[in-house]
Amino acid sequence: MNYPRFFCVVCLIILSLTLTLAQNISPTESQAEKEKIQKELEERVLQMINQAVGDAAYLKLPQNRAVIYGIAGDLYWKFDEKRARELFRSSANEIMISYAEQEKEKKETDDQFFSLFDLSGNARQEILPMIAKHDADLALELLVQTRPRKIAEELLKATEPNAKQEGGYMNFNPDHFRTQQEIALEQRFALLAAEQNPDKAIKLINESLAKGISWNVLPLLQKLHRKDEKKAAQLADKVIGKITDTDLNKKRDDLIAAIRFLQFATNPNMPKSSKEKEFKFTDAQLKTIAEKLIDTFLQPTNSLDITMSIGQAMPSLEKILPQRMPALKQKQAEALKNLPPEVKRFEQQQKIWGPNTTPEEILAELPKITIEFEKITALTSLVNKISQIEDESRAKKLIEQIPDEKTREKALDAYESAKISRTAKDGKLEDAKKMIGNLSNKKTRIQKLVSLAVEFHKKGTEEDLKTSDGLMTDAKNLTNQYPEDEDELNDVMELVRGYSFVKPEEGFRIFEPVVDQLNEHFQASAVLSKFNKRSFTFSKGELVMKVRGFSRDGVLLFRYIDQIQLLGKADLNRMNSLSDRFQRPDARSIVKLFIAQGFLAQEKKDEMENTAGGVFFIGD
């Protein structure tokens, strides 16, 4: 027997069987290991959520407890819907307690401005949409349950046909504003609840029309149109009938909705191609709306709302009923003569910030502006618009015409920054990298270096990873590792953002000493707030929490929720341990929830990419 040959054959058979077994077993073992790790991480997330819920009992402000329970319910939905609904109902109960306390404080205070503050209402406006995302019917139920008495009374008045709506241009009415917010919320939840039920959509739209005409009726009609075109057309006739039967001089919100219907129908920038057939008002219906608006505008009135609304509606009306424009333009010219100076300035500001205003038009207006604040807003708008121009010669020519040297530098940096972003978006990362040297502003250079580093890192090749590290090193060399002021801290946290993608270990190294600074700033802000009764950031020495982060003027910590979430995605256990270093229970509780929120958002993104190749945005 040829033993060497026989031995080789046996070895080949064994090797083949080994490879086959490896292919069949290793992936299974690997998947099982991944599932085990994922389960452990999810258990850690649940521990963090439960800890935050437990700590909520010790918070002073009921609206803060409402926020904690609301976010916790949102995060719990993936694991236990029954528990999530319990947390949502607990959140609603805390909102009602908060309103009761707020009403009591209003009666006891002599501060006339206290009634303008509605911290409980702000929490409610954020929590209910989060509930609606999971269960729109429950959100509608809790919307009514938590509705303040004053808003309920205003809604009842809104159904009266001859009741005049308060508020308007240059005349802000907080009660009217909150009532409109309430109607918008109700219609938003109705839209979600009606998605699978056309008959329910019809009922909800009819109920909505009883309170007035709203822009939110249009998305409801679009949903219904996809289910039943005939029913959508019939309901659209009811909407048009409601417009024609309403005295738009008395119903400002109905007037605005009618104008927006026309603007939507005549918008040249609307996408022409769509996979789904979209609802549209017929030409006859649009003419009916246009006739109603023109008849309203031509009535003998000196109403500022009517004068301002004519300018908004004019471009659309010209397209639908050009034959009636001469009389309307004459009415507009007469009305504009009688406008007080402050209103004319307001109208000028609206033109400057208008989406269709060109940089050339703003430059032409600049010499006419005499008030410094208004000039600053005009220059800010000009810089923003120039940065969006893709024609480099036109952009540079406009920048040269800016009279102020500092604004010219700012405009040039903004243009170069936007150009870098466009180039990177087109996949030309090397070209974008070369352009960074044209930026003079250090903060902008750091931001662009970090953004490009992340994009190179995503490409994943050895050369791209090396380039990514180099860009982050360049960004690091521009920052002060021991920040001495707010701007320098922002630069450091921009580094943390980049390193959380590129090299998480370095991101944690940079962030850990920042925690102590954030604790100091947080505690100092809480102390100072005791001497400011009108503080929006703290109340009774406790942070006023919000569902979706905090304003730039608030506590410094909450500017950096994105970075904290990104570090949590990189290493959940390490970030959870770091969250325990936040000394105050209000800060610690909300930070833990934001970390869990960021982790679960990434998990959802991974699921969608694995199953459908979809794109997920945090907050969706």
Side-chain angles (χ1 to χ4, degrees):
M1 180 180 288
N2 189 341
Y3 287 103
R5 183 178 180 183
F6 175 76
F7 181 73
C8 288
V9 170
V10 171
C11 287
L12 286 171
I13 293 171
I14 292 172
L15 180 61
S16 176
L17 288 171
T18 302
L19 289 172
T20 302
L21 287 171
Q23 287 173 346
N24 291 333
I25 294 173
S26 295
T28 305
E29 291 176 346
S30 176
Q31 184 62 29
E33 186 65 25
K34 285 181 180 178
E35 289 176 358
K36 180 183 176 183
I37 293 171
Q38 183 64 27
K39 187 175 181 181
E40 290 173 354
L41 289 172
E42 288 181 352
E43 287 174 357
R44 170 64 67 190
V45 166
L46 285 173
Q47 289 174 8
M48 294 169 68
I49 298 170
N50 289 328
Q51 183 179 344
V53 170
D55 289 345
Y58 301 99
L59 296 175
K60 298 176 185 177
L61 301 177
Q63 65 261 35
N64 279 352
R65 297 194 293 271
V67 168
I68 294 292
Y69 295 147
I71 296 176
D74 177 49
L75 298 177
Y76 239 105
W77 191 269
K78 169 185 170 62
F79 307 102
D80 186 343
E81 290 185 14
K82 182 181 177 182
R83 172 64 173 149
R85 286 190 175 89
E86 289 172 356
L87 287 165
F88 286 150
R89 292 190 181 278
S90 296
S91 180
N93 289 335
E94 294 294 345
I95 288 172
M96 290 190 289
I97 293 171
S98 178
Y99 270 122
E101 289 188 4
Q102 189 170 287
E103 286 300 314
K104 182 181 177 183
E105 290 174 10
K106 283 180 182 179
K107 291 178 181 178
E108 294 174 352
T109 186
D110 56 359
D111 187 344
Q112 295 179 349
F113 292 94
F114 190 84
S115 60
L116 298 176
F117 304 152
D118 188 12
L119 300 178
S120 307
N122 292 339
R124 179 175 177 267
Q125 288 281 329
E126 292 184 318
I127 292 166
L128 290 175
M130 192 163 51
I131 298 172
K133 180 177 64 176
H134 300 293
D135 188 337
D137 286 319
L138 176 61
L140 281 167
E141 176 192 332
L142 297 180
L143 178 74
V144 176
Q145 179 185 324
T146 60
R147 182 171 287 160
R149 176 183 53 80
K150 197 164 188 179
I151 289 180
E153 291 172 355
E154 290 294 325
L155 282 175
L156 191 61
K157 289 179 186 177
T159 60
E160 298 174 8
N162 295 318
K164 185 172 181 179
Q165 291 174 337
E166 300 297 330
Y169 291 103
M170 314 297 289
N171 182 26
F172 177 73
N173 184 298
D175 290 334
H176 175 69
F177 175 73
R178 288 167 191 156
T179 303
Q180 291 308 304
Q181 280 187 317
E182 188 74 4
I183 293 173
L185 268 184
E186 184 175 300
Q187 292 173 349
R188 181 177 169 187
F189 301 163
L191 175 63
L192 291 171
E195 281 187 352
Q196 302 302 320
N197 190 334
D199 291 329
K200 188 171 186 178
I202 292 171
K203 178 176 179 291
L204 292 167
I205 293 176
N206 282 325
E207 290 174 355
S208 170
L209 289 175
K211 299 184 180 76
I213 307 157
S214 167
W215 167 251
N216 291 298
V217 166
L218 187 58
L220 281 169
L221 282 169
Q222 289 173 333
K223 289 283 184 184
L224 180 57
H225 182 72
R226 291 167 193 163
K227 302 285 184 182
D228 191 324
E229 292 184 19
K230 186 177 179 181
K231 287 182 179 179
Q234 291 171 346
L235 201 54
D237 284 333
K238 289 188 178 181
V239 174
I240 300 301
K242 178 70 175 176
I243 292 174
T244 56
D245 292 342
T246 300
D247 185 348
L248 298 181
N249 269 312
K250 293 181 178 178
K251 303 285 187 179
R252 177 177 177 269
D253 296 306
D254 295 11
L255 174 68
I256 292 172
I259 293 172
R260 291 190 69 184
F261 289 153
L262 289 191
Q263 290 173 330
F264 175 81
T266 59
N267 185 356
N269 299 317
M270 290 297 293
K272 304 298 181 185
S273 59
S274 175
K275 293 180 180 179
E276 293 181 319
K277 190 176 180 182
E278 294 292 332
F279 168 82
K280 292 181 180 179
F281 286 112
T282 65
D283 290 343
Q285 289 170 337
L286 292 175
K287 284 183 179 179
T288 301
I289 298 174
E291 291 281 7
K292 176 66 177 181
L293 285 171
I294 292 173
D295 290 342
T296 300
F297 294 151
L298 292 178
Q299 289 179 21
T301 174
N302 294 322
S303 166
L304 176 60
D305 285 340
I306 294 296
T307 302
M308 303 297 280
S309 297
I310 291 174
Q312 291 181 358
M314 188 76 78
S316 299
L317 293 173
E318 282 186 302
K319 293 177 182 178
I320 298 171
L321 291 175
Q323 66 273 21
R324 297 198 62 183
M325 287 304 99
L328 187 58
K329 287 181 178 180
Q330 183 179 348
K331 172 67 183 289
Q332 183 187 37
E334 292 171 356
L336 290 174
K337 290 177 184 177
N338 300 319
L339 286 180
E342 62 271 18
V343 176
K344 288 181 180 178
R345 285 201 304 271
F346 176 79
E347 188 183 37
Q348 184 183 53
Q349 287 289 305
Q350 294 301 301
K351 286 181 180 178
I352 286 171
W353 283 100
N356 298 322
T357 306
T358 66
E360 287 84 356
E361 289 171 335
I362 297 176
L363 278 169
E365 287 292 321
L366 276 176
K368 305 174 189 176
I369 302 175
T370 57
I371 298 176
E372 190 61 27
F373 173 76
E374 292 177 2
K375 186 173 287 188
I376 291 171
T377 60
L379 288 170
T380 302
S381 178
L382 178 62
V383 169
N384 290 337
K385 288 180 181 292
I386 290 175
S387 69
Q388 298 167 23
I389 297 173
E390 295 187 20
D391 182 344
E392 185 166 356
S393 61
R394 179 188 170 206
K396 295 288 179 66
K397 184 177 179 181
L398 287 165
I399 291 171
E400 290 172 2
Q401 296 177 56
I402 297 174
D404 179 67
E405 183 179 352
K406 287 186 178 179
T407 306
R408 281 199 302 273
E409 292 177 3
K410 189 182 293 185
L412 184 59
D413 252 24
Y415 174 75
E416 293 292 346
S417 176
K419 184 180 175 182
I420 292 169
S421 297
R422 288 193 293 268
T423 305
K425 188 177 180 181
D426 291 338
K428 302 173 184 177
L429 300 186
E430 288 293 342
D431 290 343
K433 178 184 172 185
K434 294 173 184 175
M435 294 177 190
I436 291 179
N438 296 330
L439 298 171
S440 60
N441 183 277
K442 187 181 78 168
K443 177 181 178 180
T444 308
R445 289 187 70 185
I446 291 170
Q447 290 173 346
K448 292 304 168 185
L449 285 166
V450 168
S451 296
L452 269 184
V454 171
E455 292 304 316
F456 272 103
H457 185 79
K458 287 178 182 176
K459 293 177 73 175
T461 69
E462 184 177 348
E463 185 64 30
D464 289 322
L465 293 178
K466 185 178 177 181
T467 301
S468 177
D469 285 342
L471 288 167
M472 287 304 302
T473 300
D474 290 344
K476 188 194 296 186
N477 290 337
L478 291 172
T479 63
N480 181 357
Q481 294 289 293
Y482 304 97
E484 297 181 359
D485 60 32
E486 185 178 333
D487 290 335
E488 290 186 355
L489 181 59
N490 287 338
D491 292 340
V492 167
M493 291 307 292
E494 193 64 27
L495 281 185
V496 173
R497 184 194 301 278
Y499 275 122
S500 65
F501 286 102
V502 175
K503 196 182 290 181
E505 180 63 32
E506 181 67 7
F508 276 105
R509 187 194 68 76
I510 296 171
F511 179 67
E512 285 186 10
V514 172
V515 174
D516 296 330
Q517 291 177 299
L518 294 176
N519 270 323
E520 290 176 7
H521 184 272
F522 197 99
Q523 184 58 32
S525 299
V527 172
L528 289 173
S529 73
K530 293 180 180 180
F531 302 94
N532 180 10
K533 289 185 177 181
R534 298 177 187 174
S535 171
F536 287 101
T537 310
F538 287 86
S539 179
K540 300 178 182 177
E542 188 172 276
L543 169 73
V544 176
M545 296 181 183
K546 295 183 180 179
V547 169
R548 293 189 178 275
F550 301 77
S551 71
R552 288 185 59 82
D553 296 328
V555 177
L556 205 58
L557 163 66
F558 298 104
R559 273 187 214 178
Y560 308 127
I561 288 298
D562 283 349
Q563 288 91 328
I564 289 170
Q565 287 185 329
L566 289 169
L567 290 173
K569 291 174 189 177
D571 190 333
L572 180 67
N573 289 320
R574 186 170 180 178
M575 195 61 232
N576 181 42
S577 297
L578 267 179
S579 70
D580 289 328
R581 286 177 51 187
F582 287 104
Q583 297 164 355
R584 291 173 54 99
D586 44 3
R588 190 167 55 248
S589 297
I590 197 69
V591 166
K592 283 186 178 294
L593 287 181
F594 278 128
I595 294 169
Q597 193 178 58
F599 176 81
L600 292 177
Q602 178 62 35
E603 183 184 53
K604 183 174 179 181
K605 176 184 176 182
D606 292 340
E607 288 174 3
M608 292 177 69
E609 288 178 345
N610 289 337
T611 58
V615 179
F616 174 77
F617 298 94
I618 294 175
D620 279 5

